[in-house]
Amino acid sequence: MAPGGGIFQIHVGKYMETVEMVEKMIPAMVSALGIAVLLVLLGELMGGRLPLLRKVFLPGSVLGGVIALLMGPQVLSPSLPEVFPDLERVYSVLQSFPSLFINVVFACLLLGKPMAGFAALWKKSYRQVIMGHVFAWGQYVVGLALVLFVLSPFLGLSELAGPVIAMGFQGGHGTAAGLSGTFADLGFEGGVTIAYAVATFGIVAGAIGGPILATILDRRSSIKRERQETDQSPGGNRQNEKDEKKSELSPLTGRLTVHLALVASVILVGWLFLKGIVFLESSIRGIEAQEAVTGYIPLFSVVLLVGFGTQFLLQGLGWDRLFDRPVLDLISAFALDMVIFSALATLKLSVIGEYWVAIVVLCAAGLGWNLAVLFTLGKRIYPSPWHPYGLGDFGGGTATTASGLLLISITDPARQTDALEAYSGKQPFYEPFMGGGLVTAFALPIVATWGAGIALAVTGAILSIWLCLAFRFAAK
């Protein structure tokens, strides 16, 4: 046999093995997706029916994820896989859901949102921008200081745990999932489980503590002023809806299909761009560079920037009328449900048991920082009544952006203030950097390269700048 024939047979054999593996995984993928959807529905029904759960506003994805965790092989008897032979394979597929679906969430984040001029957005939302960065940079400072001076010396915790408060609170399960590969590459695989635990605490704290705070503050301060008219007025919305109905798409093409194609295109371009910059760095540095620094950049942060640029391009070409923000919201909400559900369903309980003391300390410190910022700066920097504005940023800085919107709706249901508009206008100045943006993406490599001490000094200096801005505006 010719040498080339042997190589050909090897390649054919590897190809057939790959095909067989994919064929085995497809039923598991379908089962995993079906189980996830059904358990999220069950969690939503439980949250709506049970009085105690109805009061705390826990989303169905959280409750469904906890149910899945209890049903999984980590909790139920070891004989369960014998009864359900594909159970371990299904849970193996679920482990890949967070890092996959988070890209969908970030692709949808800015698509379909009209981009006004930055000057107008800043004038409307500068207080929220400043406070959002104070919350976020302070969480880096608190986490790094705790790890450097307490958790690492006394508990042996890796310095890479320093950024997990900001990752869990600001970024949530999705950001933690997107950084799972970075944690593994840097030799701290348990870090993603700690980040998941912190994110779970953030959601619970935001869902339970947030409405309690909102109720208390709402009783102390009544909203009296009239709601200011903005571009988001009902008349403006009706005009936008009228414009959006003028579609050039074929009536036989489903609008959901078109929107999914847009999201997929953004993710594909982001993936190609990321591969390109990794290849470029490797080419410039040469073969002596063992690892490319750009290889630590998570895909979701690049996807966010591509989505940002895509929205500007669509507006410039006049094609933005072809896409509806409500449809993109639905896609994003489904993807986020899958991220939260699968992250909770596949939590490594052994890691939580090993690091539970550190997790409790980090969660308590992060929540303490957020409360301190809310009550010391919130009263001074926000317009009166300050609590709808402050609780929005508190919710977004403790749990998710949706949690901030929920707390604003609780404190100002009639929208007598412009807190909702200001909170929404903050996102272009905030999301590309914090809560899953570029700063979050580079936090772990920076700590790994410079060490927690230098990272603490840098984040402390940046926090000081934002605090100076906060006090300057608070003094006016």
Side-chain angles (χ1 to χ4, degrees):
M1 181 184 295
I7 296 175
F8 175 75
Q9 288 182 348
I10 292 174
H11 283 289
V12 170
K14 290 183 178 180
Y15 172 76
M16 294 304 298
E17 290 178 3
T18 304
V19 170
E20 292 177 1
M21 182 180 68
V22 171
E23 289 177 347
K24 292 179 180 178
M25 291 301 295
I26 287 177
M29 294 174 66
V30 174
S31 300
L33 187 61
I35 290 172
V37 171
L38 290 175
L39 289 182
V40 169
L41 174 61
L42 176 61
E44 194 66 33
L45 294 175
M46 290 175 59
R49 296 287 182 179
L50 300 180
L52 179 61
L53 295 177
R54 188 165 60 244
K55 291 181 180 179
V56 299
F57 300 103
L58 283 179
S61 54
V62 171
L63 297 173
V66 172
I67 295 171
L69 178 64
L70 297 177
M71 291 174 55
Q74 294 186 87
V75 178
L76 293 183
S77 63
S79 62
L80 190 62
E82 298 178 3
V83 181
F84 302 100
D86 288 335
L87 184 65
E88 291 186 355
R89 188 174 296 166
V90 167
Y91 272 79
S92 176
V93 171
L94 282 176
Q95 288 180 343
S96 66
F97 272 22
S99 57
L100 293 175
F101 280 102
I102 188 56
N103 298 304
V104 178
V105 175
F106 276 83
C108 295
L109 195 60
L110 297 174
L111 289 175
K113 290 184 178 180
M115 296 293 178
F118 281 103
L121 285 176
W122 173 260
K123 183 177 180 180
K124 180 189 297 184
S125 307
Y126 68 90
R127 293 181 177 90
Q128 279 67 30
V129 175
I130 292 171
M131 288 294 285
H133 281 277
V134 169
F135 277 114
W137 287 103
Q139 289 168 8
Y140 281 110
V141 171
V142 170
L144 288 166
L146 275 175
V147 168
L148 187 61
F149 299 113
V150 179
L151 299 178
S152 185
F154 295 102
L155 298 180
L157 188 66
S158 170
E159 292 185 351
L160 293 172
V164 297
I165 296 178
M167 291 175 184
F169 278 10
Q170 299 283 336
H173 294 85
T175 298
L179 293 169
S180 59
T182 306
F183 274 114
D185 292 340
L186 295 174
F188 185 42
E189 294 185 4
V192 67
T193 300
I194 297 176
Y196 282 156
V198 173
T200 304
F201 174 84
I203 288 181
V204 174
I208 298 176
I212 293 174
L213 274 177
T215 302
I216 294 173
L217 294 174
D218 201 39
R219 289 175 180 173
R220 294 181 178 179
S221 175
S222 58
I223 299 176
K224 297 180 180 179
R225 64 178 178 143
E226 295 293 328
R227 177 182 169 229
Q228 299 177 359
E229 294 296 328
T230 66
D231 293 336
Q232 299 294 328
S233 62
N237 287 335
R238 284 194 295 270
Q239 182 65 39
N240 291 339
E241 291 171 0
K242 187 183 296 184
D243 293 339
E244 288 171 355
K245 291 179 181 178
K246 298 177 182 179
S247 174
E248 300 174 2
L249 300 175
S250 166
L252 300 178
T253 302
R255 294 191 63 78
L256 178 60
T257 305
V258 174
H259 287 73
L260 286 172
L262 174 64
V263 173
S265 299
V266 169
I267 295 174
L268 177 60
V269 172
W271 180 80
L272 291 173
F273 181 78
L274 182 58
K275 291 296 182 182
I277 61 176
V278 171
F279 175 77
L280 180 63
E281 183 194 351
S282 300
S283 301
I284 293 174
R285 295 177 63 190
I287 59 174
E288 70 276 1
Q290 295 181 355
E291 294 178 338
V293 176
T294 50
Y296 292 118
I297 301 176
L299 175 59
F300 68 85
S301 61
V302 180
V303 167
L304 173 65
L305 296 178
V306 173
F308 189 70
T310 301
Q311 179 59 27
F312 268 112
L313 178 62
L314 291 175
Q315 284 186 203
L317 296 174
W319 294 351
D320 55 315
R321 68 180 185 277
L322 302 177
F323 302 98
D324 297 331
R325 182 62 207 178
V327 178
L328 292 164
D329 282 335
L330 289 175
I331 296 172
S332 177
F334 172 76
L336 186 59
D337 279 340
M338 294 299 100
V339 169
I340 296 174
F341 169 85
S342 52
L344 291 176
T346 57
L347 273 178
K348 291 182 172 58
L349 298 180
S350 59
V351 176
I352 293 179
E354 180 181 356
Y355 294 113
W356 72 270
V357 175
I359 292 171
V360 170
V361 172
L362 291 169
C363 290
L367 181 60
W369 168 259
N370 284 4
L371 290 171
V373 170
L374 176 66
F375 286 104
T376 56
L377 289 178
K379 296 180 180 180
R380 295 170 174 82
I381 193 171
Y382 295 118
S384 180
W386 67 273
H387 59 288
Y389 301 90
L391 286 173
D393 289 331
F394 172 82
T398 305
T400 62
T401 303
S403 179
L405 295 173
L406 171 65
L407 294 184
I408 292 174
S409 67
I410 292 174
T411 55
D412 186 15
R415 293 182 63 182
Q416 293 177 277
T417 73
D418 58 357
L420 182 62
E421 289 81 3
Y423 182 71
S424 300
K426 148 193 168 182
Q427 305 310 322
F429 299 97
Y430 180 81
E431 293 289 354
F433 308 101
M434 317 303 293
L438 295 178
V439 173
T440 315
F442 282 104
L444 289 174
I446 286 174
V447 173
T449 305
W450 293 353
I454 297 178
L456 176 60
V458 172
T459 53
I462 297 174
L463 173 62
S464 299
I465 295 173
W466 286 109
L467 285 172
C468 289
L469 286 173
F471 283 114
R472 176 186 173 186
F473 286 108
K476 291 185 178 181

